Amino acid sequence: MTASQVKRAFKYRFYPTDAQAAELSRTFGCVRKVYNLALAARTEAWARGERVNYNQTSSLLTGWKRTEELAYLSEVSSVPLQQCLRHLQSAFAGFFARRGKYPRFKSRKKSRRSAEYTSSGFRYRDGKLTLAKMSGPLAVVWSRPLPEGAVPSTVTVSQDAAGRWFVSMLCDDTPAPVPETVKAVGIDAGITSLVTLSTGEKVTNPKFERKDRARLAKAQRELSRKARGDGANRAKARRKVAGIHARIADRRRDHLHKLTTRLVRENQTIVIEDLTVRNMVRNHTLARAISDAAWTTMRTMLEYKSAWYGRTLVTVDRWFPSSKLCSACGAVAERLPLNVREWTCNGCGTTHDRDVNAARSILAAGLAVSVCGAGVRPQRSSPGGLSATKQKTPRREP
């Protein structure tokens, strides 16, 4: 099977010199300033019933650079400043199309520190990356090679809350083809087991946040004792807390990458549930465990990896009663509390493991969808007249 060409970002860590770090920090500040100025200008125009587009904000940027107050904007590369205006334009386009909320101002302490360079703002030759306004290349740790002959179209430089520097290079890439297979798998997401497969396999949830919870709590207590402000001790304590969060996130992401890659390589069809994680985390008893499981991240990985390798990802309706639906005869149990992990079907007498049965029901429903192309929303009703739903979180009334 021949894989199609895709846009793929390759992220690397780098270690800037003091001069490079200072230049990038100035660039981050200027990007934030220009974004906020342009947002303020567009907000004022919006209040007057007018719309300001990218070209008009670009003209405003030229005028800002000529003023004495904002003359420092000319000291950094103009490329990331123009890119932040394009990002603001995209944010407004999403707002007008009702895909997102009204853009918000960027905070100096809370906003992501990043700058995006297009091809005119960097030079990549012989494995060395040099940004505009810099005399030497960045000391990048090339943990993996770029695709052969690939030329980055954009480069995004960022610094996380733990003080680590990263560069992300967007390139055209052709994923290595994988052989076609007839295998299909249903996936039931959980907390004790991160996922349960229709094959009966259960993947244990590593619970990375729980493993580092004591270290994190200690670091947060130390941070709370530091005097508020911009002192060096408070900054050091804040970086320590951020470092622990980064360690948790890195390990979780690595584990999910390995799991999703294996699932995509081994199966032609993958069936998952359309879980509303945003609503599920409102359950304060389970919110921390649900967030640590990172189901949304796993789904995102499955989506783009399935597209890369020509696999089929089927999503089953969130109200499909997978746990209560007998995968052997199709009967639906009237009630199945969360603490019941095994149950026996009254229709056929089959004893089910709750999660394995749910995964098999999800797979059967997903295969039906792929054949007929219809949504999965069976109209089975309980004696009380309510539609049978999977009991993970109660459905909220509008």
Side-chain angles (χ1 to χ4, degrees):
M1 178 178 178
T2 303
S4 59
Q5 195 174 65
V6 298
K7 287 287 187 181
R8 190 173 181 180
F10 293 82
K11 190 174 182 179
Y12 305 93
R13 189 171 179 181
F14 73 97
Y15 297 86
T17 63
D18 291 342
Q20 290 173 339
E23 177 65 26
L24 289 173
S25 295
R26 283 195 297 270
T27 303
F28 295 159
C30 291
V31 166
R32 184 180 63 253
K33 181 67 174 179
V34 169
Y35 186 95
N36 288 342
L37 287 172
L39 177 55
R42 297 185 68 148
T43 300
E44 293 173 2
W46 173 259
R48 298 192 301 268
E50 302 174 1
R51 289 192 182 183
V52 177
N53 58 27
Y54 163 75
N55 292 330
Q56 292 170 301
T57 55
S58 182
S59 299
L60 289 174
L61 174 59
T62 302
W64 293 333
K65 290 181 178 180
R66 292 173 179 170
T67 64
E68 182 178 355
E69 182 184 1
L70 300 174
Y72 61 86
L73 295 177
S74 300
E75 299 175 1
V76 302
S77 172
S78 62
V79 176
L81 304 185
Q82 293 290 344
Q83 284 300 100
C84 84
L85 295 180
R86 292 188 177 94
H87 294 163
L88 180 61
Q89 176 65 28
S90 298
F92 270 100
F95 168 70
F96 291 128
R98 300 184 182 276
R99 294 192 303 268
K101 296 181 179 180
Y102 193 83
R104 295 182 298 179
F105 290 96
K106 293 184 180 292
S107 166
R108 182 174 68 88
K109 293 184 178 180
K110 296 182 180 180
S111 298
R112 181 170 181 257
R113 293 166 55 84
S114 65
E116 183 178 273
Y117 295 79
T118 56
S119 56
S120 60
F122 67 89
R123 182 175 69 251
Y124 177 72
R125 293 178 184 172
D126 302 324
K128 295 183 178 180
L129 177 65
T130 305
L131 301 178
K133 298 285 186 178
M134 293 187 183
S135 57
L138 301 178
V140 180
V141 179
W142 300 103
S143 52
R144 55 176 173 167
L146 288 177
E148 185 176 355
V151 178
S153 57
T154 61
V155 168
T156 302
V157 181
S158 61
Q159 185 185 28
D160 67 6
R164 304 179 301 176
W165 295 87
F166 295 96
V167 58
S168 180
M169 309 175 73
L170 186 65
C171 305
D172 290 323
D173 184 32
T174 303
V178 294
E180 291 190 7
T181 178
V182 296
K183 291 183 179 180
V185 66
I187 301 176
D188 178 64
I191 295 177
T192 303
S193 297
L194 181 61
V195 294
T196 300
L197 308 183
S198 55
T199 59
E201 178 186 355
K202 293 188 176 183
V203 179
T204 303
N205 185 358
K207 299 180 180 178
F208 294 113
E209 188 273 338
R210 176 175 291 184
K211 291 180 180 179
D212 280 350
R213 189 172 296 176
R215 292 180 57 204
L216 179 61
K218 181 180 178 182
Q220 290 173 331
R221 286 195 299 270
E222 293 176 353
L223 173 61
S224 67
R225 297 189 185 106
K226 306 300 180 184
R228 294 187 175 276
D230 296 327
N233 288 338
R234 185 172 179 83
K236 183 179 179 180
R238 186 185 300 113
R239 284 194 300 270
K240 185 175 181 179
V241 172
I244 298 174
H245 279 297
R247 165 186 162 89
I248 295 171
D250 289 347
R251 295 165 69 198
R252 181 190 296 128
R253 189 182 307 109
D254 179 70
H255 181 264
L256 290 177
H257 269 302
K258 292 175 180 177
L259 173 61
T260 53
T261 298
R262 176 171 73 89
L263 293 173
V264 170
R265 288 183 180 275
E266 293 179 354
N267 300 279
Q268 187 67 34
T269 303
I270 302 170
V271 188
I272 60 175
E273 282 185 295
D274 182 22
L275 298 177
T276 51
V277 178
R278 180 180 299 179
N279 292 339
M280 296 173 73
V281 294
R282 293 176 181 174
N283 182 338
H284 298 296
T285 304
L286 299 176
R288 198 166 191 172
I290 292 173
S291 299
D292 193 23
W295 295 333
T296 302
T297 303
M298 180 174 62
R299 173 174 174 168
T300 301
M301 291 181 179
L302 287 173
E303 286 175 346
Y304 72 74
K305 290 180 182 181
S306 296
W308 284 357
Y309 298 109
R311 302 313 200 194
T312 301
L313 181 67
V314 181
T315 304
V316 173
D317 188 273
R318 68 191 61 170
W319 301 115
F320 178 69
S322 55
S323 293
K324 300 196 294 183
L325 177 67
C326 176
S327 58
C329 69
V332 179
E334 293 184 4
R335 187 173 181 274
L336 195 65
L338 280 174
N339 62 336
V340 177
R341 308 316 300 174
E342 287 189 0
W343 63 282
T344 301
C345 176
N346 293 329
C348 63
T350 305
T351 300
H352 295 290
D353 177 284
R354 180 193 185 101
D355 297 332
V356 174
N357 174 71
R360 290 173 179 169
S361 299
I362 290 170
L363 173 60
L367 294 179
V369 172
S370 61
V371 171
C372 67
V376 180
R377 199 180 184 91
Q379 300 300 318
R380 297 184 179 89
S381 297
S382 63
L386 299 176
S387 61
T389 61
K390 182 169 183 180
Q391 295 183 2
K392 283 193 173 178
T393 55
R395 187 172 184 174
R396 298 177 64 88
E397 294 297 329

